[in-house]
Amino acid sequence: MEIVVFWFRRDLRLIDNTALSQALSSGYPVLPVFIFDQNILNELANDDPRFNFIYQNLKSIHQKLSKNGSSLLCKHGDPIEVFQSLLKPYKIKKVFFNKDYEPYAIKRDEKLKKLLLQNGVTAQSYKDQVIFEESEIVKTDGKPYTIFTPYKKKWFHRFAQNKLRIENTIDFKNFIQFEVPFPELIDLGFEPSTIKVKDFDLSQIDTYEQTRNYPWTDETSYLGTHLRFGTVSIRAIIDQLKPYHQTFLSELIWREFFMQILFHFPKNVDHNFKSKFDGLKWRNDEKEFEKWKQGKTGYPLVDAGMRQLNQTGFMHNRVRMIAASFLIKHLLIDWRWGEAYFAEKLLDFELSSNNGNWQWVAGTGCDAAPYFRIFNPIQQAVKFDKEGIYTKKWIPELGQSNYPPPIVDHRMARERALKAYKMNT
């Protein structure tokens, strides 16, 4: 029997899934597959909460398929080797999947397409996790935007000319009818995590513009992780927005802006976008870095953010900027150190956004904050957590003798950072 394969990746849902919809309408029975990629999993702790989130969503998909006579075929290993093994027992006509724009994924998918082509199988990829992908919002000369505002203007212009298409139904009868067991967590080398991903909540976005900078309100949508792993489609989210939700929408556009930046400038993964800062002399004090990670710098807003991150896998966006700025500017520690730690801890970690935002704070990225913009963490706390509700929540010993004094003087650190940066301007 000739079949097609749909490969789940960053799109862990059955509804409004572009490549899945195309596979189901191909006229061939569909084999749904997910691959636990050892190249990625080998880098994770065995209780990684993101893996647990992926696992639970895959299990939910498997259960829905099982109720309709099908299953989710889960494999573990290198994706290229897995597909090589699938070519033997199945007569595969085509493989469907949604595009991924990160450097590793691009190289992996090119290898897969080459393998499939050698075996007479077509690979078909689709845009799904963004409204506009890497080359749809570009300058008139075809070059990518590196400044956000003109990118956003072009994005809005193109969006006004398009109508969102959302598919709210799925035809289960087009899946292959078969039954396989779903793997146990322990068999994959993982164990349950105490950190859980919150459901996203758009009920408070009417006041998003007014409250988004105040961490004590906790009026965040918690949408990032769900977009990262595709448990909801970006189209379904934007379709719920009203014209007065422009600030919230702008944050979603930043996500696409950074995705196309990383696609066009893959060196950004571990290099400064602005190469003039390549000679910047970092102090990279490991003891100070450890205190920053643990939330023991003596600056309450910074420490509260780091403790929230360590305990929940989340940090409020305003506090992310302040904590990042403190590491880079106050301690003169390479932004790549902080970026790597956020990548390890953040539930909503997305390479392009994490990289783009860290370089934005460092002043080394495209359309970045100027290098001389140095947040005063004390003033920021007064402005955005005046009553100390947020800091007291995460630092129970605040104001007591066992809370550490500041590890660095703000004025001295500011002048030291300015001097270091000026040597590269």
Side-chain angles (χ1 to χ4, degrees):
M1 180 176 64
E2 293 183 328
I3 68 165
V4 297
V5 170
F6 171 69
W7 180 15
F8 281 101
R9 290 129 60 97
R10 292 182 51 174
D11 44 17
L12 306 183
R13 65 187 186 280
L14 293 169
I15 300 298
D16 196 35
N17 185 319
T18 307
L20 177 56
S21 296
Q22 293 294 324
L24 290 171
S25 61
S26 67
Y28 294 94
V30 177
L31 174 66
V33 172
F34 182 84
I35 302 170
F36 292 100
D37 188 340
Q38 66 183 29
N39 302 309
I40 297 173
L41 301 189
N42 289 345
E43 303 295 321
L44 304 180
N46 61 3
D47 64 344
D48 189 282
R50 293 164 297 191
F51 181 86
N52 275 261
F53 179 68
I54 292 169
Y55 179 84
Q56 292 302 327
N57 278 280
L58 289 171
K59 190 172 185 179
S60 176
I61 290 172
H62 177 79
Q63 290 169 344
K64 291 174 184 175
L65 290 170
S66 295
K67 288 180 181 179
N68 291 273
S70 189
S71 293
L72 176 62
L73 180 62
C74 291
K75 294 288 186 177
H76 181 273
D78 179 86
I80 308 305
E81 294 176 1
V82 169
F83 271 100
Q84 180 79 64
S85 69
L86 290 176
L87 290 170
K88 297 175 182 177
Y90 297 101
K91 292 184 178 179
I92 302 173
K93 288 286 293 182
K94 186 179 289 190
V95 175
F96 292 80
F97 55 86
N98 289 312
K99 291 183 183 178
D100 192 331
Y101 308 97
E102 294 184 356
Y104 165 74
I106 292 171
K107 292 178 181 178
R108 175 199 62 201
D109 293 350
E110 286 303 317
K111 287 182 182 178
L112 175 62
K113 290 177 180 178
K114 184 177 180 180
L115 168 69
L116 295 176
L117 185 62
Q118 290 172 347
N119 287 273
V121 180
T122 305
Q124 188 68 50
S125 59
Y126 295 86
K127 176 179 69 173
D128 182 72
Q129 62 172 300
V130 293
I131 300 299
F132 298 115
E133 55 186 359
E134 73 276 2
S135 298
E136 290 188 285
I137 306 296
V138 292
K139 301 176 185 177
T140 53
D141 60 3
K143 294 181 179 179
Y145 283 104
T146 57
I147 303 296
F148 177 68
T149 300
Y151 174 88
K152 183 173 76 169
K153 288 180 179 178
K154 177 72 75 68
W155 193 101
F156 275 123
H157 178 72
R158 286 287 305 275
F159 184 71
Q161 298 175 328
N162 289 266
K163 185 176 181 179
L164 288 175
R165 295 180 180 179
I166 302 173
E167 296 191 18
N168 293 313
T169 60
I170 184 169
D171 193 346
F172 284 97
K173 73 176 186 296
N174 290 339
F175 286 103
I176 291 178
Q177 301 294 290
F178 74 116
E179 183 179 347
V180 293
F182 191 74
E184 295 295 328
L185 194 61
I186 192 170
D187 293 334
L188 296 167
F190 286 81
E191 60 187 49
S193 173
T194 56
I195 296 176
K196 307 299 181 185
V197 174
K198 291 187 176 183
D199 292 336
F200 68 89
D201 181 7
L202 301 184
S203 65
Q204 296 173 317
I205 60 173
D206 281 357
T207 57
Y208 175 78
E209 186 171 2
Q210 292 76 39
T211 63
R212 69 191 184 111
N213 284 311
Y214 299 94
W216 58 271
T217 63
D218 195 26
E219 292 188 10
T220 184
S221 68
Y222 292 99
L223 180 61
T225 310
H226 296 273
L227 288 178
R228 170 68 179 90
F229 297 109
T231 58
V232 64
S233 83
I234 184 65
R235 295 172 296 280
I237 292 299
I238 291 181
D239 191 52
Q240 297 178 56
L241 303 185
K242 307 299 181 186
Y244 52 85
H245 293 148
Q246 293 294 296
T247 302
F248 188 87
L249 179 56
S250 289
E251 296 304 310
L252 298 178
I253 300 173
W254 268 107
R255 173 176 171 268
E256 298 197 359
F257 174 71
F258 281 140
M259 278 189 178
Q260 62 94 29
I261 286 292
L262 189 63
F263 178 89
H264 289 290
F265 305 97
K267 76 176 185 67
N268 279 17
V269 170
D270 48 22
H271 289 82
N272 297 315
F273 181 85
K274 295 178 180 176
S275 57
K276 69 178 182 180
F277 289 113
D278 287 349
L280 202 153
K281 301 297 182 183
W282 302 106
R283 292 176 61 251
N284 290 343
D285 186 303
E286 292 187 7
K287 290 183 179 179
E288 291 182 353
F289 181 55
E290 195 62 32
K291 289 181 179 180
W292 175 82
K293 289 197 296 183
Q294 294 177 9
K296 295 181 179 179
T297 68
Y299 283 89
L301 194 55
V302 173
D303 292 343
M306 296 307 297
R307 295 187 191 191
Q308 181 187 23
L309 174 64
N310 292 332
Q311 294 175 41
T312 70
F314 179 82
M315 190 194 300
H316 186 276
N317 283 347
R318 164 59 60 172
V319 187
R320 293 187 196 194
M321 287 193 293
I322 297 165
S325 177
F326 184 86
L327 182 76
I328 297 166
K329 306 289 178 63
H330 283 71
L331 303 183
L332 273 180
I333 290 177
D334 194 327
W335 62 265
R336 282 158 282 225
W337 287 32
E339 195 247 13
Y341 190 69
F342 272 27
E344 177 187 339
K345 293 292 183 178
L346 281 173
L347 295 173
D348 61 8
F349 164 69
E350 191 154 39
L351 177 59
S352 54
S353 294
N354 194 47
N355 183 283
N357 282 314
W358 271 94
Q359 291 217 47
W360 184 90
V361 173
T364 65
C366 65
D367 198 13
Y371 73 87
F372 50 81
R373 183 181 183 183
I374 301 175
F375 287 114
N376 182 327
I378 301 298
Q379 290 181 356
Q380 290 287 305
V382 171
K383 189 173 182 180
F384 298 112
D385 189 34
K386 190 174 183 179
E387 303 298 323
I389 297 172
Y390 176 77
T391 51
K392 290 174 185 175
K393 176 180 179 180
W394 297 106
I395 311 175
E397 76 275 23
L398 188 63
Q400 300 175 18
S401 60
N402 57 336
Y403 181 66
I407 63 173
V408 66
D409 177 73
H410 167 69
R411 181 176 294 181
M412 182 282 294
R414 183 179 186 278
E415 292 175 354
R416 182 174 64 186
L418 289 173
K419 183 179 179 180
Y421 270 86
K422 283 179 181 177
M423 293 177 66
N424 289 268
T425 59

